[in-house]
Each structure stands twice: as structure tokens, then as C-alpha cells.
Amino acid sequence: MKHAHTLLAATLAGLSATALADVTLYGAIDETLESVSARGAANSSKNIGQTTRINSNSSLIGFKGSEDLGNGLKAIWQVESGIAIDTGGGNFATRDSFVGLTSPSAGTLQLGLLTSSARAMGGIFDINKASTGIGMSAALLGKLGNFAITDPALKTQATGTIGLFDSRLRNSVQYVTPSFAGFSASALYGSGENGSGPRAYNANIGVKYEDSALYAGLSYTRSTTGADDSSATSVSAFRKLSDLRAAAIYRFSANTRVGLIYDRTEGDLTQAASLVYGTRELKQSVWYVNGALGVGNHGRVIAQYGQSGKLSGGNSSLADSGKAQHYALGYEYDLSKRTLLKAMYSEIRNNRAANYDFGIGAVGNVAAGADPKGFAVGLRHTF
């Protein structure tokens, strides 16, 4: 009987191992000790003094797997969740989560919560490891003077203080072509289930080229809110929003590179909003330049500068609410292939009418004219 029990246990263990053979557990724990503030507000009573905190940045845990269907075709799936190690919290499947099919010759089809080519481009361009933390470029990109994170319809699709075009898109289907001589393309459609009406949707197309030294990408996104001229501004100020993004990176070595990104966002306002803002269309350009300089075999100095322009097309008071500059300077050191030591100083200099905040690790409730500043030091470990 004892032998039978041992054989049964071994058989069950073997079956479990077989069933889970194509499932991968992975993740990252990214913790920084930070000191942040936001002073210089037009209304000094709204200044935010120096605050010390722990930030979990883009810490995550995920599960992914595949099934070989024959003839090079595979079924693929992924469930990825953000976690907050500092507070013991987290939300299930809040990051890229999908089911799909992939083939070396036919490309990849995915359905779920997905990263568009615009968001992917911003992540590849950003100089911070894993595109996270107070120095990331999503602090200014694609926000249209913060309308993309405060508008009633758009903020349901944006992530915190990250704009719509740098957030994952819900209820989406995306096709990515195979790579041909370094070139590939993608097309995404997101249904309007989270919009203000039946005509709401997100659509994105992108093309990129990448080899060992050069990356270049171009992306166009359109988002319609479902609102129309009969809608009140409490529903949405916008009928649709569009974004054109281009980026290029040149890598001199594994730790040394330079990059440039340009982002042009345009918003088509409803009739009710046009009476408030004095225009039917708002436009804004944002650009960033960055670089990394290798120090020894494992370290690099990283720097990033971005500038958002005025909101054109509206009244004069609205125009200045888009203007800001973003400075970031840091150092990263690879303790191993999976463990990173890092330090970062980041500062956003807002115009007196602007109130931009950090993309990840926002100070929170930044008043017009206040300048978010922060210093962070920490570790990132991947598994």
C-alpha cells in the first residue's frame, strides 16, 4: 500500500509538472526611497512641502504561457498585474493581459488589455530602466495640457497621471506583423465600452524599424469619446482626440545611446466646450531628448529633457496651461543581470498656469504653477 501511495504521488507530481510546463511566472520588484515636493504655486497656500516616501514604481507579477498548435502556430496568453510592495496592495490583470495566436510567418493577434504602438514607443524611448519612476517621459507626453487625464471621458481610459496614449487600451484587438529586414507594423482597435456613447473607440497604427544599433518608430492614434455637440462638458469636452508620435534612438553600445521623441496631440471639442475655451480644436507639441553614457562595464549616467508647448487654438489663459519643462538626471548600476541599483533627480518646471505631475510616482494635487521635484534611490530586481 505504501508503494502504491508513493507511485500515485509521483504520478500526480508528474502530471502537474506537465500541465504547467508551458506556464512562466515572472515579475519585477522596483522600490525607491524618495523625497518629493511641489512648491512655487500661483496660490502659495497650495504648495506641497518636502515629503519622504517609498514608491513601488512599476512593480509587477505575471503569468504567461503558450500551446503549440502545429505548423508553427501557437496559442499565447498572459495575465500581468501591478503590485505595491510598499503598502502590500495590488490589482489583478491591470497590465498587459491577453489571449492570442502567433506564427513566425503570419504575425501575432491579441485580444485583451493591450499596449499600442504609441505606448510601446514611449517605453522604448524612455531612458529610465523599464520606463518607470519620477524621471519618465510620460510626465508630459500626450497629455494635451493635462486634459487627457482630467476630462470625464478620457480619464476612464488613462492611468493615473499618465495620458491616454501612454496607457494600456482596454477591450482591444491588435495585429502585429512579422519582422521583415528589421521592419514591422501593427494595428489596434479598441471598442467603445468605456466611452460616453456607442460611437466611442480607440484606433492605433504603427510602424517601426529596429536593429542592434538603430530604432525608429512612427505611430498614429485616434480616440473618440462618444460625445457630440449635444453633450455637456460634464460628459466630455472632446468629440475626438488624435496623437502623432515619432521617435529615434541610436545605440553606440549596450550602455551608451541617444534618443529623440516628438509628440503632436490634437483635440476636437464639443460645441459646449468650445464656448468655454474659445475654440473648436486644441493642439499641442511635446518633445524629449535623452541619452545614456556608459561608465565602466555595468554603470551608466542617464539624462532626459522634455518640453511641452502652449495649447494653440484656445483663449490666452488656456494656452499657457500647457507649457512646462522636465529635467531628469540619474545613475544606474547593474549589480547583476537581474538586479539594478539606481538614483534619480527629476524636476518639472510648470508655467504659472500649468500643473503637470510625474508620470509614475506622482506628488498628487499639484497646483497651477507649482514645480514637482524629487530625488529617488532604490533597487529593481526582476525574476
Side-chain angles (χ1 to χ4, degrees), residues 3 6 69 105 123 126 145 168 197 206 219 264 299 303 316 342 354 371-372:
H3 176 72
T6 302
L69 302 177
S105 59
D126 195 87
R168 297 169 177 86
S219 173
R264 178 70 170 178
S316 57
K342 59 181 178 177
D371 298 333

Side-chain angles (χ1 to χ4, degrees), residues 126-142:
D126 195 87
I127 202 67
N128 301 275
K129 186 71 172 183
S131 185
T132 191
I134 60 176
M136 72 180 300
S137 55
L140 303 183
L141 287 174

Side-chain angles (χ1 to χ4, degrees), residues 81-347:
S81 307
I83 53 176
I85 299 298
D86 55 328
T87 61
N91 293 293
F92 190 70
T94 51
R95 298 171 60 89
D96 283 49
S97 299
F98 56 83
V99 66
L101 297 170
T102 187
S103 164
S105 59
T108 300
L109 181 70
Q110 301 166 295
L111 295 93
L113 176 64
L114 302 174
T115 285
S116 70
S117 63
R119 181 178 181 276
M121 186 186 304
I124 294 169
F125 164 81
D126 195 87
I127 202 67
N128 301 275
K129 186 71 172 183
S131 185
T132 191
I134 60 176
M136 72 180 300
S137 55
L140 303 183
L141 287 174
K143 288 187 174 181
L144 196 65
N146 274 344
F147 274 114
I149 62 173
T150 58
D151 183 79
L154 297 174
K155 72 179 181 180
T156 63
Q157 301 182 63
T159 304
T161 51
I162 296 178
L164 172 64
F165 307 111
D166 289 283
S167 295
R168 297 169 177 86
L169 297 179
R170 302 182 179 99
N171 307 305
S172 295
V173 55
Q174 180 168 235
Y175 171 70
V176 182
T177 71
S179 179
F180 299 99
F183 287 93
S184 62
S186 64
L188 177 147
Y189 174 81
S191 66
E193 296 174 48
N194 298 295
S196 300
R199 293 181 299 279
Y201 69 87
N202 293 305
N204 168 266
I205 55 173
V207 61
K208 70 175 183 178
Y209 171 82
E210 188 167 17
D211 61 23
S212 59
L214 177 65
Y215 167 89
L218 181 67
S219 173
Y220 177 78
T221 310
R222 171 170 286 191
S223 177
T224 63
T225 65
D228 56 30
D229 281 340
S230 64
S231 303
T233 54
S234 59
V235 174
S236 179
F238 294 91
R239 295 190 299 178
K240 62 176 180 282
L241 206 65
S242 62
D243 181 81
L244 179 66
R245 182 172 294 186
I249 301 164
Y250 189 80
R251 308 178 184 96
F252 297 93
S253 67
N255 287 321
T256 301
R257 50 160 275 190
V258 293
L260 173 68
I261 193 167
Y262 173 80
D263 187 89
R264 178 70 170 178
T265 308
E266 299 183 2
D268 180 12
L269 277 67
T270 65
Q271 184 175 17
S274 70
L275 298 176
V276 177
Y277 301 123
T279 184
R280 288 289 288 196
E281 189 174 51
L282 289 174
K283 302 178 181 180
Q284 184 187 37
S285 294
V286 179
W287 59 269
Y288 271 87
V289 61
N290 64 27
L293 177 64
V295 180
N297 294 325
H298 304 288
R300 56 202 162 271
V301 175
I302 59 175
Q304 188 152 265
Y305 172 78
Q307 184 171 305
S308 59
K310 68 179 182 179
L311 292 179
S312 62
N315 54 47
S316 57
S317 61
L318 188 67
D320 288 341
S321 67
K323 297 168 66 176
Q325 298 173 310
H326 185 196
Y327 302 83
L329 178 65
Y331 178 73
E332 295 180 342
Y333 185 83
D334 298 314
L335 296 171
S336 71
K337 290 184 177 180
R338 296 187 296 161
T339 303
L340 173 76
L341 177 67
K342 59 181 178 177
M344 168 63 63
Y345 174 78
S346 180
E347 177 180 347

Side-chain angles (χ1 to χ4, degrees), residues 32-37 48-55 375:
T32 46
L33 174 63
E34 301 181 353
S35 177
V36 299
S37 64
I48 299 172
Q50 209 74 29
T51 302
T52 302
R53 67 186 188 182
I54 303 292
N55 187 9
F375 177 75

